[in-house]
Amino acid sequence: MIIKFLYRTPFFSYATFPRTSFFCSKRHFFSYHPVRKPSLCRNQGKLTNIRYGIYLNTRSSMSCSATPAMAREKEMEQVDRILAAKEDDHGGVIVEMTNEPLDPSVFGSLLRASLSHWRQQVQFFGVRWTHLQGKKGVWIKLPIELVTLIEPAVKEGFYYHHAEPKYLMLVNWLPGTANTIPANATHRVGISAFVVNEKNEVLVVQEKSGRFRGTGVWKFPTGVVDEGEDISDAAVREVKEETGVDAKFVEILAFRQSHKSFFDKSDLFFVCMLQPLSFDIKKQDAEIEAAEWMPFEQYTAQPFVQGHDLLRNISDICSGKIEGRYTGFSSVPTVTSFSEKKTYLYMNNNDRATGHDDANVTGN
């Protein structure tokens, strides 16, 4: 049987000169492999074969069958390899598994070897070994096809961080210090669309499902902001989907934060004002029972609105906007030093200092 004590590094691999024996007997010997100039080692897929160091060879005078020997050799080959990973910006590593099938026991062996490597890394610089600080968080992005690998990962200390339709993200905090890995997304973002025409009529709907089904309550079009979608665009989209009315985003009038909402997540709800660009209503049959233009005073007079503190406050804000007593937050295109992608800064332009270009704002 051959037992190998291995050091691994993500940067270099080491070749060895012929073995030099320091101690020998009939049964066993220790040997050391001198190292020579390191060479760059590049990842070539999911597994990385990086090994160097001291070998302890133990030889037995008893013969063994081929099958156990082959099993042991296979096991050692598995231990020789570690999972390929890329470093993140916070002292951790990310393992992105492909959907190639992998036996759970083999994955468990690879994962244990990899964790040992990531906990304490060693590199050889010229004439001496240098210990580096171990990795912090280890992330494993596991495609849905590899669901059988969840159990061995959990046994090694990994836990669920978040899930998407096609993958599960697992994470493990390696240091013996307080875990500083941020939680998954904590908020859901929703919008309510206050669409008012020149007659002071507001666009309202009755829903076929949800808490308002069958209540006869008229409400503003509402919905959830999609991933990667701006709040302003979401408001325009929801109005179009529910009523068929084209509209232009004007301002965010107010927003509300609540907690323990959808799947116990917090909720951000933005009340947006929109200007209608068309007036013919074509309601969404799947979700909307009815849609119409209603005088604003008739909407606010509904018992449900008057009896609901949040809706009454929103109605007061909308009334102030109609009468010119209230100014909300308009969207200003902006870029930051982190990304050249256009984003929006929502701000009150009413009292904004002069001397700045309203068309664009550059942030840090």
Side-chain angles (χ1 to χ4, degrees), residues 153-166:
V154 170
K155 288 182 177 179
E156 297 302 323
F158 284 81
Y159 60 89
Y160 298 169
H161 186 266
H162 64 273
E164 295 292 339
K166 293 297 183 179

Side-chain angles (χ1 to χ4, degrees), residues 191-193 230-240 249 272 274:
I191 62 92
S192 174
D230 290 307
I231 294 171
S232 54
D233 293 337
V236 172
R237 174 182 55 78
E238 286 291 347
V239 170
K240 180 66 174 179
F249 175 83
C272 304
L274 285 80

Side-chain angles (χ1 to χ4, degrees), residues 137-140 153 157-161 169-173 179 181-182:
V138 176
W139 302 82
I140 298 180
F158 284 81
Y159 60 89
Y160 298 169
H161 186 266
M169 185 67 81
L170 301 168
V171 68
N172 191 351
W173 180 255
N179 189 338
I181 291 176

Side-chain angles (χ1 to χ4, degrees), residues 87-151:
E87 296 188 1
D88 62 22
D89 295 330
H90 306 283
V93 293
I94 303 173
V95 178
E96 294 194 19
M97 303 292 293
T98 67
N99 57 7
E100 179 184 350
L102 184 61
D103 184 84
S105 61
V106 174
F107 175 71
S109 298
L110 292 168
L111 186 56
R112 284 188 293 273
S114 301
L115 289 173
S116 177
H117 166 63
W118 291 323
R119 282 191 174 98
Q120 186 176 15
Q121 294 185 340
V122 181
Q123 290 184 25
F124 185 77
F125 292 95
V127 295
R128 63 186 179 89
W129 299 97
T130 301
H131 290 262
L132 304 178
Q133 182 181 5
K135 297 302 179 185
K136 296 179 180 179
V138 176
W139 302 82
I140 298 180
K141 185 177 181 180
L142 204 63
I144 195 170
E145 293 86 355
L146 300 184
V147 64
T148 57
L149 304 187
I150 295 176
E151 182 177 357

Side-chain angles (χ1 to χ4, degrees), residues 17-33:
F17 289 119
R19 182 176 302 162
T20 303
S21 177
F22 293 103
F23 175 81
C24 295
S25 71
K26 293 182 179 180
R27 292 186 175 270
H28 57 270
F29 62 87
F30 291 91
S31 63
Y32 171 73
H33 290 246

